[in-house]
Amino acid sequence: MEHGAGELRSLHAWLRSDAVVRRSATLELRAGSLQPGHMGSAAEVIQLVTENGWSAASFVMAVVAWKRTRPRNPQITISRDDTMVSLTNCSDEEVERVIRILSEGQSGEGQSE
Protein backbone atom coordinates (compact mmCIF):
# COMPACT_ATOMS: atom_id res chain seq x y z
CA MET A 1 0.00 0.00 0.00
CA GLU A 2 1.29 3.45 -0.90
CA HIS A 3 2.37 5.54 2.12
CA GLY A 4 0.05 8.46 1.23
CA ALA A 5 -2.94 6.15 0.81
CA GLY A 6 -2.20 4.56 4.18
CA GLU A 7 -2.05 7.97 5.84
CA LEU A 8 -5.35 8.97 4.23
CA ARG A 9 -7.02 5.80 5.47
CA SER A 10 -5.60 6.47 8.94
CA LEU A 11 -7.01 10.02 8.93
CA HIS A 12 -10.37 8.70 7.71
CA ALA A 13 -10.51 6.19 10.57
CA TRP A 14 -9.45 8.87 13.07
CA LEU A 15 -12.18 11.26 11.94
CA ARG A 16 -14.80 8.48 11.99
CA SER A 17 -13.85 7.75 15.60
CA ASP A 18 -14.23 11.40 16.66
CA ALA A 19 -17.70 11.76 18.21
CA VAL A 20 -18.03 15.46 17.36
CA VAL A 21 -17.12 14.96 13.69
CA ARG A 22 -19.29 11.83 13.44
CA ARG A 23 -22.30 13.68 14.90
CA SER A 24 -22.17 16.56 12.42
CA ALA A 25 -20.80 15.04 9.22
CA THR A 26 -20.80 12.06 6.90
CA LEU A 27 -17.37 10.83 5.83
CA GLU A 28 -16.51 8.86 2.69
CA LEU A 29 -13.19 7.67 1.31
CA ARG A 30 -13.38 8.22 -2.45
CA ALA A 31 -11.22 8.21 -5.52
CA GLY A 32 -10.23 11.75 -6.36
CA SER A 33 -9.93 13.24 -9.80
CA LEU A 34 -6.72 14.10 -11.56
CA GLN A 35 -5.94 17.78 -11.66
CA PRO A 36 -5.29 19.18 -15.17
CA GLY A 37 -1.60 18.98 -16.04
CA HIS A 38 -0.78 16.25 -13.47
CA MET A 39 0.37 12.80 -14.49
CA GLY A 40 -0.31 9.57 -12.67
CA SER A 41 -3.31 7.99 -11.05
CA ALA A 42 -6.06 9.82 -9.25
CA ALA A 43 -5.46 10.05 -5.51
CA GLU A 44 -7.99 9.08 -2.89
CA VAL A 45 -9.74 11.84 -0.96
CA ILE A 46 -11.87 12.06 2.14
CA GLN A 47 -15.18 13.67 1.36
CA LEU A 48 -16.88 15.28 4.34
CA VAL A 49 -20.52 16.28 3.93
CA THR A 50 -21.56 18.40 6.85
CA GLU A 51 -24.80 18.90 8.73
CA ASN A 52 -26.13 22.07 10.36
CA GLY A 53 -24.12 21.57 13.56
CA TRP A 54 -20.75 21.42 11.78
CA SER A 55 -17.90 23.27 13.41
CA ALA A 56 -14.80 24.14 11.41
CA ALA A 57 -12.87 24.45 14.66
CA SER A 58 -13.82 20.94 15.83
CA PHE A 59 -12.94 19.44 12.46
CA VAL A 60 -9.57 21.22 12.23
CA MET A 61 -8.68 20.28 15.82
CA ALA A 62 -9.48 16.61 15.06
CA VAL A 63 -7.15 16.75 12.03
CA VAL A 64 -4.44 18.47 14.10
CA ALA A 65 -4.73 15.82 16.82
CA TRP A 66 -4.32 13.09 14.17
CA LYS A 67 -1.30 14.84 12.58
CA ARG A 68 0.42 14.98 15.95
CA THR A 69 0.24 11.17 16.22
CA ARG A 70 2.04 10.60 12.93
CA PRO A 71 5.77 9.77 12.85
CA ARG A 72 6.06 11.84 9.68
CA ASN A 73 4.39 15.20 9.31
CA PRO A 74 1.96 14.73 6.40
CA GLN A 75 0.65 17.87 4.74
CA ILE A 76 -3.13 18.00 4.71
CA THR A 77 -4.99 20.06 2.12
CA ILE A 78 -8.60 20.91 2.90
CA SER A 79 -10.91 22.27 0.22
CA ARG A 80 -14.28 23.84 0.76
CA ASP A 81 -16.16 25.11 -2.24
CA ASP A 82 -13.49 27.04 -4.19
CA THR A 83 -11.16 27.52 -1.20
CA MET A 84 -8.12 25.33 -0.55
CA VAL A 85 -6.00 25.59 2.58
CA SER A 86 -3.13 23.44 3.88
CA LEU A 87 -2.10 22.34 7.34
CA THR A 88 1.65 21.80 7.46
CA ASN A 89 3.23 22.49 10.85
CA CYS A 90 0.05 23.00 12.93
CA SER A 91 1.39 26.07 14.72
CA ASP A 92 -1.22 28.00 16.70
CA GLU A 93 -1.21 30.73 14.04
CA GLU A 94 -1.67 28.27 11.20
CA VAL A 95 -4.50 26.45 12.98
CA GLU A 96 -6.30 29.74 13.71
CA ARG A 97 -5.88 30.82 10.07
CA VAL A 98 -7.29 27.53 8.74
CA ILE A 99 -10.26 27.66 11.13
CA ARG A 100 -10.97 31.26 10.15
CA ILE A 101 -10.81 30.46 6.42
CA LEU A 102 -13.06 27.40 6.74
CA SER A 103 -15.53 29.30 8.95
CA GLU A 104 -15.98 32.21 6.52
CA GLY A 105 -19.38 32.06 4.90
CA GLN A 106 -20.23 28.92 6.84
CA SER A 107 -23.73 27.88 5.95
CA GLY A 108 -23.67 24.48 7.61
CA GLU A 109 -22.95 22.65 4.38
CA GLY A 110 -19.63 22.08 2.65
CA GLN A 111 -17.06 19.55 1.65
CA SER A 112 -13.52 19.01 2.85
CA GLU A 113 -10.85 16.74 1.54
Side-chain angles (χ1 to χ4, degrees), residues 4 10 13 15-16 41 54 56 65 68 106 109:
S10 172
L15 292 172
R16 287 180 58 96
S41 61
W54 184 75
R68 291 183 175 155
Q106 188 170 318
E109 294 183 14

Side-chain angles (χ1 to χ4, degrees), residues 18-81:
D18 186 288
V20 174
V21 173
R22 202 174 51 243
R23 230 184 348 261
S24 61
T26 303
L27 291 157
E28 289 184 33
L29 195 56
R30 307 180 72 158
S33 58
L34 271 179
Q35 298 297 322
H38 287 81
M39 296 177 58
S41 61
E44 288 181 302
V45 297
I46 296 174
Q47 180 178 21
L48 176 79
V49 180
T50 61
E51 311 269 332
N52 288 334
W54 184 75
S55 165
S58 294
F59 171 71
V60 171
M61 294 313 295
V63 173
V64 168
W66 171 81
K67 276 181 60 72
R68 291 183 175 155
T69 69
R70 309 315 298 160
R72 296 183 180 149
N73 188 20
Q75 178 176 327
I76 302 295
T77 301
I78 303 167
S79 64
R80 180 167 187 226
D81 300 324

Side-chain angles (χ1 to χ4, degrees), residues 87-100:
L87 274 170
T88 54
N89 63 14
C90 294
S91 67
D92 291 344
E93 295 80 17
E94 182 182 56
V95 170
E96 289 174 17
R97 179 182 61 82
V98 170
I99 291 170
R100 185 178 61 252

